[in-house]
Amino acid sequence: MIKDFQKSAIIVGDRNVSYSEMLQRIHLFAQYTKGEKGDRVLILSENREGWVYAFFSVWARQEIATPVDAGSTAHDVAYIIKDCRPTCVWTSRTKVDLVREAISMAGIDVEILLIDDFELAPVSGEKAVIETQMEDTALIIYTSGTTGSPKGVMLSFANIEANIRSVSDDVPIFNTERCTLILLPLHHVLPLVGTLVAPITKGGGVAICPSMSGPDIMDTLCRGKVAIMVGVPRLWQTLYFGIKKKIDANAVTRFLFWLCQKVGSPALSKTIFKSVRKKMGGHITYCVCGGASLDKEIGEGLRTLGLDVLEGYGMTEAAPMISFTRPGDIIPGCAGLPLPTVECKIVNDELWAKGPNIMQGYYNRPEETAEVLDKDGFLHTGDLARFDEKGRIYITGRSKEIIVLSNGKNVQPAEIEFQLEQYPVQVKEAAVVQDGDLLKAIIVPQPEWAGEKNDEQLEDGLKREVLEPFNRTVANYKKVMGVFVYRGDLPRTRLDKLQRFKLKEIVEAGSHRKQKVETDVEPTFKEYQMVKRYLEQEKKVKIKPNDHLEMDLAMDSLDKVSLQGFIESTFGMVVKVERMADFKNVQALCEHIASRKTRMETEDTDWRHLIYASTSHLELPQPAVTYPLVAKLFKANFRLYNRLSVKGVENIPAKGPFILASNHESFLDGPLAYTGLSWGMVKNCYSYATEEHVRSGLMKYLASRHNIILMERSNLKNSILKLAEVLKLGRNVVIFPEGTRTRNGKMNRFKKMFAILSKEMNVPVLPVCIRGAYEALPRGTHYVRPSKIEVEYLPPIYPREDMSYQEFADFVRKTIEDAKKK
């Protein structure tokens, strides 16, 4: 293990245990287990000094260590006892009653050994000798149970050695000089290998933190002079938001954070925010995140504070690592390169891995082993992934967690859950579930915000303060259309993974509470019946009187404009688009209409009438003389820096107006869409942007001088009229129908406004396919990477009478998507 036996092996509180004493205590523990080679020994205890001795004593006797979650129920422990039939259990005095109950339930004779009796007992001076055969089974780790029944993962000493070698010999992270913090529960393979076995075998030693509380963590970091800290995403998220809150409270520190974020220099960040590292003991060299993926925003924020987080990706079946980010090559959101000895490939979007780290199989489950380990030795991870040009792995989702909607859209719930938790005043925790063909959120409200409110008041508040602003930022299929209030903690494993299979009970309980509301008698007054009939035709769903226009019916801005037109033509009155979400439900809207209508005639939304309405009250932006020059300068820059290639310019219509519709990969797409257009065409092109992107006075002025029409959320009708006026004048419109940049490189659904303009004004659509802009400037980055970019102009598509607006929009999208895949 180590040559200097007087070096610190374990630091716990004021106690400092040398390697010599540790080996003596392991020898003491090993005298009390009576099993033979290959027998299983359970270890069920909270993290403590004696846990370490019990664990290594099992290896000293060439038995198989089986760590069990100290937070397990007696039923859970009984299941494991019956499955692996251990000879004995090492446990603590606080857990002994639970173990006795579990043994009784299992009906198997198992010896109980108390860690407390031996942890500080006198030792003889004889040291344990741990000799292992690489092919022997070292561990049986039971999976954390995010989807139901746990399975025992058999890991050999060779599996563990492959991991340790990768982060000590191949990449020198663990060494004799770096102490590691034991914080996470040791029954899980990540903290077991990463915070105990690796640092002990490599001579760096460990410091055991007594709890997950902030003061205990900081105290242990300082006492142990900890250099390596391993945590799960929620720990790093809590740390980051706690620090950021203090930074945001002061204008100077707020500016310094902004400056470090813009400059992107690790050296500058570590200098400016030196106090952050000092409060963490001053010796932190590596922060490590595992157990689940760390959101890019958190990774980038911590990096701005001078804390580089090495992310690892893996699973229990890989002991645990498959890949990890290397020091000096940290990209937030990236899972890094595979271990040097591991071969990875992607099959049908799923990541497969093969190497000496891959498990021996599931204990006593050959059929289930065969489901994930193929005949060639590849582990089918169940995770969706992609490689970048250097072979780094990006995990894009979990196949078993994906919600598939009836329209074929795939939704990763974890992505939405993270965004909902960005409303920390109202939301403590969030989980997204599928309810029919809608997404709904289970939200644990913050106690301070919840106060004395009842569930109905909380749901109304969450819809208004969280879901409505969130839904304005995402594509329609990602909108959350309902909320269940849950007054408790969401079911999670000890490593903070959400146990999704347990969410069904919460949804059913929430639905039961709502049954009374949903069985209310439907109104019979004519205004309600007419609006209901219209909405059912538009949204293709059954309308209930208590449906909210956004939360339940997923009405976007264009849907509301259409409804506005229907109300105006049918009832002779105007309901402003920005006010529609203020109505509690459809019935409340209809009651408002009934009290203020001037007539009642049945008509469909007349888009042609709306588009050809008077525009004398509107003013189009006027282009500056430099406008085309700016576009050409952008093109020259892209050619030099990004090796820009432009194809299909022969497809650009020479005469007449057209609508240029492009996929939306990054902030670069605006100038990229113009790169194939002539000087004269650029001058006659108008683009479309949301108010959120043009907030300052300077930006608004520049927009007005560069042919940018702002989408006024408060008056979308005027925005549509301006675009229509551009086309009437024989000029062109540049639009990104997705409405927002891609988050993962895949195209979002196209909104139908450009299709309405095309069909009603008989104007062709020029599809444009942009490739490489996402890689050059993905979300969350602040500098352009020199990766190659391609822009391809596809043949024009003329309006199709046989298609609805949305069908035509989808057809254009598919045309671009097909081209993007080539």
Side-chain angles (χ1 to χ4, degrees), residues 1-9 18-20 176-177 203:
M1 273 188 177
I2 188 172
K3 294 179 180 179
D4 181 6
F5 287 99
Q6 299 312 308
K7 188 178 187 302
S8 293
S18 68
Y19 270 87
S20 178
T176 58
E177 304 303 319

Side-chain angles (χ1 to χ4, degrees), residues 64 83 98 126 141 155 266 295 323 337 364 378 381 469 473 525:
I64 300 172
D83 193 58
L98 178 137
E126 187 173 353
I141 300 281
L155 299 174
D295 190 86
S323 70
L337 292 165
N364 282 339
F378 277 96
T381 68
T473 68
F525 61 94

Side-chain angles (χ1 to χ4, degrees), residues 458-477:
L458 288 174
E459 287 184 7
D460 287 342
L462 289 169
K463 284 180 178 180
R464 184 175 59 257
E465 298 178 31
V466 177
L467 298 191
E468 287 183 19
F470 166 76
N471 284 343
R472 285 196 288 268
T473 68
V474 297
N476 280 345
Y477 72 94

Side-chain angles (χ1 to χ4, degrees), residues 626-642:
T626 57
Y627 173 42
L629 178 60
V630 170
K632 294 303 177 184
L633 289 174
F634 267 113
K635 180 177 179 179
N637 182 68
F638 288 135
R639 283 197 182 280
L640 289 171
Y641 190 71
N642 295 100

Side-chain angles (χ1 to χ4, degrees), residues 448-707:
E448 299 83 2
W449 177 79
E452 301 298 321
K453 301 183 185 79
N454 60 34
D455 285 357
E456 186 176 353
Q457 291 170 327
L458 288 174
E459 287 184 7
D460 287 342
L462 289 169
K463 284 180 178 180
R464 184 175 59 257
E465 298 178 31
V466 177
L467 298 191
E468 287 183 19
F470 166 76
N471 284 343
R472 285 196 288 268
T473 68
V474 297
N476 280 345
Y477 72 94
K478 289 186 179 179
K479 289 187 176 181
V480 179
M481 297 306 161
V483 60
F484 299 108
V485 171
Y486 184 60
R487 298 177 184 268
D489 293 328
L490 293 178
R492 295 182 182 275
T493 69
R494 293 290 295 281
L495 279 196
D496 207 42
K497 291 183 180 179
L498 194 59
Q499 294 178 303
R500 296 190 183 277
F501 70 98
K502 294 183 179 180
L503 298 178
K504 183 179 179 181
E505 298 173 10
I506 298 174
V507 173
E508 288 174 349
S511 298
H512 179 73
R513 290 201 313 268
K514 293 185 175 185
Q515 281 180 358
K516 180 179 180 301
V517 177
E518 294 188 351
T519 54
D520 287 346
V521 177
E522 184 173 272
T524 57
F525 61 94
K526 291 182 178 179
E527 293 82 359
Y528 171 80
Q529 293 298 328
M530 294 171 73
V531 172
K532 174 191 173 184
R533 188 162 50 249
Y534 165 80
L535 290 174
E536 287 183 338
Q537 290 173 349
E538 286 289 309
K539 302 303 294 182
K540 309 300 182 188
V541 296
K542 182 175 175 57
I543 301 298
K544 299 173 184 176
N546 62 338
D547 282 341
H548 188 275
L549 294 179
E550 286 187 350
M551 297 301 101
D552 300 311
L553 302 183
M555 294 190 71
D556 60 18
S557 298
L558 206 57
D559 290 329
K560 291 176 189 174
V561 171
S562 179
L563 176 59
Q564 181 187 44
F566 170 79
I567 293 171
E568 186 173 347
S569 61
T570 304
F571 302 107
M573 59 175 292
V574 175
V575 177
K576 292 184 178 179
V577 167
E578 66 270 21
R579 278 210 56 203
M580 288 184 179
D582 295 339
F583 290 100
K584 184 177 181 180
N585 49 40
V586 173
Q587 181 173 342
L589 170 65
C590 295
E591 288 170 351
H592 174 79
I593 292 170
S595 65
R596 289 169 174 77
K597 71 178 188 297
T598 59
R599 66 169 184 266
M600 193 154 62
E601 300 173 5
T602 303
E603 291 183 21
D604 292 329
T605 305
D606 189 348
W607 282 107
R608 175 169 287 274
H609 175 77
L610 188 154
I611 287 171
Y612 283 94
S614 172
T615 58
S616 58
H617 61 295
L618 302 176
E619 184 178 346
L620 293 177
Q622 297 299 314
V625 176
T626 57
Y627 173 42
L629 178 60
V630 170
K632 294 303 177 184
L633 289 174
F634 267 113
K635 180 177 179 179
N637 182 68
F638 288 135
R639 283 197 182 280
L640 289 171
Y641 190 71
N642 295 100
R643 295 164 289 146
L644 172 70
S645 67
V646 180
K647 304 175 183 177
V649 292
E650 69 276 5
N651 292 319
I652 301 172
K655 295 181 180 180
F658 59 82
I659 300 170
L660 187 155
S662 171
N663 59 310
H664 202 357
E665 294 205 328
S666 79
F667 277 137
L668 303 176
D669 298 340
L672 283 172
Y674 287 81
T675 52
L677 304 182
S678 66
W679 185 286
M681 279 188 176
V682 169
K683 189 174 181 180
N684 285 318
C685 279
Y686 287 72
S687 58
Y688 194 48
T690 61
E691 290 176 311
E692 286 83 352
H693 293 144
V694 189
R695 289 175 176 166
S696 68
L698 174 62
M699 291 300 293
K700 287 181 179 178
Y701 171 77
L702 291 174
S704 69
R705 304 300 292 166
H706 289 81
N707 285 12

Side-chain angles (χ1 to χ4, degrees), residues 50 169 280 346 525 789 817:
D169 300 340
M280 296 175 72
I346 293 176
F525 61 94
I789 296 177
E817 187 175 42

Side-chain angles (χ1 to χ4, degrees), residues 213-400:
S213 71
D216 278 344
I217 293 173
M218 293 304 176
D219 180 63
T220 308
L221 289 173
C222 294
R223 286 176 183 270
K225 297 181 180 179
V226 170
I228 301 172
M229 179 177 174
V230 180
V232 292
R234 192 170 290 269
L235 173 68
W236 297 117
Q237 180 177 324
T238 301
L239 175 69
Y240 170 66
F241 284 136
I243 298 171
K244 189 65 164 58
K245 185 177 181 180
K246 293 178 181 178
I247 288 173
D248 290 342
N250 182 283
V252 175
T253 51
R254 219 168 36 239
F255 168 76
L256 291 174
F257 184 87
W258 174 87
L259 178 65
C260 290
Q261 197 174 43
K262 290 295 181 185
V263 173
S265 165
L268 178 64
S269 292
K270 287 175 182 178
T271 300
I272 289 180
F273 293 108
K274 185 178 180 180
S275 60
V276 173
R277 298 164 61 82
K278 188 174 181 180
K279 287 178 181 177
M280 296 175 72
H283 293 82
I284 287 289
T285 305
Y286 295 119
C287 300
V288 180
C289 182
S293 67
L294 181 67
D295 190 86
K296 284 180 64 177
E297 179 185 337
I298 306 300
E300 288 167 355
L302 288 168
R303 193 173 190 181
T304 301
L305 294 172
L307 296 171
D308 279 342
V309 180
L310 303 179
E311 288 192 65
Y313 160 72
M315 52 203 307
T316 306
E317 290 84 345
M321 283 196 306
I322 291 173
S323 70
F324 66 99
T325 53
R326 279 34 170 192
D329 186 33
I330 297 173
I331 303 173
C334 173
L337 292 165
L339 274 61
T341 55
V342 172
E343 177 187 353
C344 289
K345 64 180 180 180
I346 293 176
V347 180
N348 296 326
D349 294 330
E350 181 187 7
L351 182 67
W352 292 8
K354 176 182 179 181
N357 61 324
I358 302 303
M359 69 171 180
Q360 297 172 312
Y362 295 123
Y363 185 72
N364 282 339
R365 298 198 185 188
E367 291 182 0
E368 292 185 45
T369 299
E371 290 177 4
V372 297
L373 269 179
D374 64 27
K375 57 183 176 58
D376 295 321
F378 277 96
L379 173 68
H380 300 194
T381 68
D383 287 312
L384 308 178
R386 66 178 178 86
F387 295 126
D388 69 7
E389 68 282 356
K390 292 188 177 179
R392 303 185 193 94
I393 296 172
Y394 290 78
I395 302 300
T396 58
R398 180 75 180 159
S399 60
K400 292 180 181 178

